[in-house]
Amino acid sequence: SQELEQSPQSLIVQEGKNLTINCTSSKTLYGLYWYKQKYGEGLIFLMMLQKGGEEKSHEKITAKLDEKKQQSSLHITASQPSHAGIYLCGAGSNNDMRFGAGTRLTVKP
Amino acid sequence: KAGVTQTPRYLIKTRGQQVTLSCSPISGHRSVSWYQQTPGQGLQFLFEYFSETQRNKGNFPGRFSGRQFSNSRSEMNVSTLELGDSALYLCASSLAPGLKPQHFGDGTRLSIL
């Protein structure tokens, strides 16, 4: 089965700083999804990447998919306290998605 | 448009009991998937339903079961509860299998005493 490894496991940044979270797959990526979760709550869909080289942005969050490296990165520019939470990458060809363990982001004001 | 609704939000049970969790998908979404989230194992796929049929099942014991109704609402049942079943159970819906993204509910937090 497809395994997704996220790094780092946790991240503490000062407000206003940029940061990057990585997600590496053990198998070919046919689609990669990024979600954000606040503790004890559901997952909020952020972005979906389907083609190699694809890059998408939403507000200050940008995600890229490198098919050759079987990797995706999530970049946050000028982080804010509202960006705090757990970021999860997910992949799967059907609706039986596999997820990474998550990256816990703390933004210090 | 209402999101995915899961009930109840919190549940406390004791070992050996059984429990039923409910999920109402986004209007028009016909595929419902269930996931279990624990600190140790992370987010794991339980099963997926579409058109009242289970299409896919994760690696969980038979104590975990589910069903889907004609209005796409879904329930999952766990029998003979064990301490290790304590988890956040998340439901996700999408228009159809393979048509992502999946949209998640806020989950049901199940605690086993």
Side-chain angles (χ1 to χ4, degrees):
Chain A
S1 63
Q2 187 161 33
E3 300 294 332
L4 296 172
E5 190 170 322
Q6 285 186 239
S7 62
Q9 287 186 338
S10 66
L11 201 48
I12 302 173
V13 300
Q14 201 67 41
E15 182 176 357
K17 295 293 186 185
N18 302 337
L19 63 107
T20 299
I21 298 169
N22 292 304
C23 175
T24 304
S25 172
S26 62
K27 292 187 175 183
T28 302
L29 281 169
Y30 293 106
L32 194 289
Y33 305 82
W34 283 100
Y35 288 86
K36 178 185 173 186
Q37 184 179 31
K38 295 210 166 176
Y39 180 74
E41 297 181 7
L43 277 63
I44 299 166
F45 171 71
L46 294 175
M47 271 172 277
M48 174 172 68
L49 303 165
Q50 291 184 298
K51 291 179 283 188
E54 188 171 15
E55 180 175 321
K56 285 189 177 177
S57 293
H58 176 67
E59 296 179 345
K60 294 185 178 179
I61 302 176
T62 301
K64 300 179 188 179
L65 179 62
D66 186 331
E67 234 173 30
K68 287 181 182 176
K69 290 184 181 177
Q70 296 177 180
Q71 188 176 70
S72 177
S73 61
L74 185 87
H75 183 78
I76 299 177
T77 304
S79 58
Q80 300 168 359
S82 61
H83 288 128
I86 300 170
Y87 290 82
L88 294 122
C89 62
S93 54
N94 291 305
N95 281 356
D96 55 342
M97 287 178 65
R98 303 301 190 250
F99 288 87
T103 295
R104 183 181 294 274
L105 173 64
T106 303
V107 180
K108 288 188 169 182
Chain B
K1 198 175 190 181
V4 178
T5 304
Q6 291 189 245
T7 56
R9 284 297 313 275
Y10 304 93
L11 207 45
I12 299 174
K13 292 286 186 179
T14 56
R15 280 181 297 175
Q17 287 187 308
Q18 75 162 20
V19 67
T20 299
L21 312 181
S22 178
C23 172
S24 293
I26 291 172
S27 178
H29 284 195
R30 296 171 60 202
S31 172
V32 174
S33 296
W34 288 89
Y35 296 84
Q36 181 197 64
Q37 187 176 35
T38 59
Q41 299 297 318
L43 198 54
Q44 293 184 291
F45 171 74
L46 279 159
F47 28 65
E48 181 206 0
Y49 285 88
F50 176 71
S51 291
E52 302 176 63
T53 302
Q54 187 180 91
R55 292 188 71 249
N56 218 337
K57 191 177 193 308
N59 189 24
F60 278 82
R63 299 185 297 107
F64 291 81
S65 63
R67 59 177 175 168
Q68 186 181 35
F69 302 94
S70 58
N71 62 358
S72 296
R73 190 177 72 85
S74 177
E75 289 181 347
M76 68 163 279
N77 184 77
V78 188
S79 62
T80 320
L81 287 165
E82 300 176 0
L83 292 176
D85 297 334
S86 295
L88 180 66
Y89 290 88
L90 292 163
C91 166
S93 75
S94 65
L95 286 168
L99 284 182
K100 296 185 184 68
Q102 291 181 296
H103 294 272
F104 284 78
D106 282 337
T108 293
R109 170 78 60 187
L110 175 63
S111 299
I112 312 301
L113 303 179

